[in-house]
Amino acid sequence: MSEMAASSAVSLLDIKPRRFGVNHELRLTKWKRKVLWFDGDQTRRFRCFSDMLAPIRRSEKSEERRFDQKTSAHGAGIKTSSSAVPFASPKSRFVSKQEKFYPRCTPRLTGPQSRDTPPKRDTGIANEKDWGIDLLNENVNESGTNEDGSSWFRESGHDLGDNGYRCRWTRMGGRSHDGSSEWTETWWEKSDWTGYKELGVEKSGKNAEGDTWWETWQEVLHQDEWSNLARIERSAQKQAKSGTENAGWYEKWWEKYDAKGWTEKGAHKYGRLNEQSWWEKWGEHYDGRGSVLKWTDKWAETELGTKWGDKWEEKFFSGIGSRQGETWHVSPNSDRWSRTWGEEHFGNGKVHKYGKSTTGESWDIVVDEETYYEAEPHYGWADVVGDSTQLLSIQPRERPPGVYPNLEFGPSPPPEPDQPPDQPQ
């Protein structure tokens, strides 16, 4: 890989869980966040900034304990997300004379552009246009060495199988002269005679500091075996680990849509920074006929034994439904505090609110209040079709006359795992 010629700073991890208050305050020790500066002369300087990390703080008013109904509920509770790049990743800025003066002329054996950047946290599922997938139309197997000693490779091909199966793929990568940093990326498209189409990406890498990452993205069009409706599914998995401290994170996102408005969305997340770990799961389900289910469950813990969390669920149909949730905290000596709450919406402007806590709080009232909930997803079938033009344009193999596809769909996919097989430790 080419060495950096200009200064840049990248935050290793930016994690700021919110505080949690009951009748007493629990404070965690200050953690220091490292910011690594890369200078043109390759001199490295470390500067430390202190971040106070403490559990979630909740309002003492019962009406404020539940999530804001008119904002995204997934932002409530434990907030540990950050859009910052988690680990330092030096990116090549070397520009050859040919690229500088003739940017539109790409020689046959010019290596692929360096793509050695780790994924970003809490960014969900990217659209296909963000990946820039460009599969080669011919079989290629080439490699080379750059002026700085780094090497690269690029290869492409296609695989054929039964029932008209075809997979076109392109794989590329690079490596620094000493092997301390490297990256690989694979693109593919799949299709068969049943109408199945798939577009995908997988990338991985590491840098000189020992940070590693892995990411995969998929977009699929197929016919649902039960409803016979067209369905588009998108998913993404992302993982990164620090090479210098006990820190890392993993995320799995998925979205499913069908042509009648049925929609399912969800995510599982896990992270760790030194002595603190946190988890988050959430899901949304719309049946396309007005029924909606949403839920969130977030929790965290420290090596000292402190644990805290927040969860809620809502179900609605035709203006009638319910909400319920719990906020809880466990101290190192196993003392537990919790507060539960619930709402019943009758669809006539009346709402029954109730709740209690382990410290003796309780309430049970009926109030006049407007019911608000989202009966339809903000991003649905029409949106995903409009953003999946490359997927929909995949051309299957030509089917010979008299040959018909096998429409046996096979077994259902296995359930989604709660944790990755190689989660950060």
Side-chain angles (χ1 to χ4, degrees):
M1 298 293 176
S2 299
E3 297 181 348
M4 301 190 70
S7 297
S8 63
V10 181
S11 174
L12 293 181
L13 268 170
D14 188 7
I15 302 171
K16 299 178 181 178
R18 291 187 287 183
R19 299 169 55 194
F20 175 97
V22 187
N23 295 326
H24 57 277
E25 294 283 338
L26 174 69
R27 299 180 181 272
L28 300 181
T29 59
K30 294 183 178 180
W31 292 351
K32 294 184 178 180
R33 181 180 59 186
K34 297 179 181 178
V35 176
L36 179 59
W37 297 82
F38 293 93
D39 294 325
D41 61 359
Q42 301 303 308
T43 300
R44 298 179 180 178
R45 298 190 298 274
F46 291 88
R47 301 179 182 179
C48 294
F49 301 89
S50 296
D51 287 337
M52 175 63 72
L53 298 181
I56 316 166
R57 186 183 184 106
R58 309 289 284 179
S59 170
E60 293 300 322
K61 295 182 179 180
S62 61
E63 286 79 10
E64 295 177 358
R65 291 188 196 97
R66 59 183 175 82
F67 60 89
D68 184 350
Q69 300 173 10
K70 297 187 179 181
T71 60
S72 173
H74 303 140
I78 302 171
K79 183 178 180 181
T80 56
S81 63
S82 169
S83 60
V85 175
F87 305 129
S89 175
K91 188 174 183 179
S92 173
R93 295 190 179 184
F94 176 83
V95 179
S96 67
K97 291 183 179 180
Q98 184 174 36
E99 291 173 323
K100 181 176 180 181
F101 295 105
Y102 305 100
R104 295 186 179 181
C105 178
T106 303
R108 173 66 175 170
L109 290 179
T110 296
Q113 294 257 344
S114 176
R115 303 168 74 94
D116 60 346
T117 53
K120 295 182 179 181
R121 294 182 52 215
D122 248 350
T123 53
I125 304 174
N127 288 329
E128 60 182 31
K129 63 181 180 181
D130 299 322
W131 283 105
I133 300 172
D134 186 13
L135 295 167
L136 302 177
N137 291 321
E138 55 185 351
N139 291 342
V140 170
N141 189 350
E142 56 190 18
S143 60
T145 303
N146 300 315
E147 294 181 10
D148 63 353
S150 61
S151 59
W152 60 269
F153 73 90
R154 177 168 48 211
E155 55 189 12
S156 67
H158 68 275
D159 303 320
L160 304 179
D162 297 335
N163 212 27
Y165 171 84
R166 177 171 64 183
C167 174
R168 297 175 57 223
W169 53 269
T170 295
R171 185 169 178 263
M172 68 197 85
R175 182 175 182 176
S176 62
H177 70 284
D178 60 358
S180 60
S181 61
E182 60 184 31
W183 65 275
T184 59
E185 185 162 343
T186 304
W187 302 335
W188 68 85
E189 68 171 39
K190 299 178 182 179
S191 62
D192 64 24
W193 291 335
T194 69
Y196 179 90
K197 298 181 179 182
E198 178 182 320
L199 197 64
V201 174
E202 181 173 2
K203 60 184 294 186
S204 61
K206 68 175 183 178
N207 60 24
E209 287 69 38
D211 305 328
T212 60
W213 57 87
W214 169 81
E215 180 176 9
T216 185
W217 172 92
Q218 283 179 283
E219 192 173 51
V220 173
L221 168 69
H222 68 99
Q223 181 180 356
D224 182 70
E225 59 182 299
W226 301 109
S227 66
N228 291 326
L229 293 172
R231 176 178 287 188
I232 293 178
E233 300 182 4
R234 306 195 307 176
S235 62
Q237 294 187 69
K238 310 172 189 182
Q239 178 173 293
K241 293 183 181 181
S242 171
T244 57
E245 58 184 341
N246 187 13
W249 58 271
Y250 168 86
E251 295 178 354
K252 183 167 188 173
W253 301 74
W254 65 90
E255 300 174 355
K256 302 178 182 180
Y257 309 86
D258 79 12
K260 281 195 172 181
W262 177 92
T263 303
E264 179 182 302
K265 303 181 182 184
H268 290 178
K269 306 177 188 180
Y270 167 82
R272 182 177 181 89
L273 175 60
N274 298 324
E275 65 263 33
Q276 183 174 2
S277 302
W278 67 94
W279 295 259
E280 177 184 355
K281 298 181 181 181
W282 64 263
E284 298 179 0
H285 182 93
Y286 305 84
D287 71 351
R289 298 185 297 271
S291 178
V292 58
L293 166 66
K294 293 184 179 182
W295 61 273
T296 294
D297 191 3
K298 308 180 184 184
W299 68 101
E301 64 181 41
T302 70
E303 292 182 351
L304 298 177
T306 302
K307 302 177 181 180
W308 64 99
D310 184 83
K311 60 183 178 180
W312 60 264
E313 177 187 87
E314 72 171 32
K315 300 177 182 179
F316 280 97
F317 178 71
S318 297
I320 301 174
S322 63
R323 291 189 176 104
Q324 57 186 4
E326 179 184 14
T327 300
W328 57 272
H329 170 264
V330 178
S331 65
N333 59 6
S334 299
D335 291 337
R336 179 180 175 84
W337 173 92
S338 70
R339 179 186 287 123
T340 58
W341 59 268
E343 297 178 355
E344 294 178 296
H345 294 251
F346 303 112
N348 58 0
K350 301 289 186 180
V351 179
H352 176 211
K353 298 185 177 184
Y354 57 92
K356 62 181 180 179
S357 74
T358 54
T359 55
E361 297 174 287
S362 66
W363 61 96
D364 192 335
I365 58 175
V366 176
V367 299
D368 294 323
E369 184 175 289
E370 181 181 357
T371 295
Y372 174 84
Y373 68 99
E374 296 177 344
E376 297 179 355
H378 71 279
Y379 185 96
W381 173 255
D383 302 294
V384 74
V385 169
D387 287 334
S388 303
T389 54
Q390 188 172 357
L391 171 71
L392 299 177
S393 65
I394 294 176
Q395 295 297 318
R397 290 167 55 190
E398 184 176 350
R399 182 162 52 89
V403 176
Y404 301 97
N406 178 6
L407 298 178
E408 294 182 2
F409 294 97
S412 300
E416 306 292 349
D418 287 348
Q419 297 293 349
D422 187 24
Q423 69 182 22
Q425 299 295 327

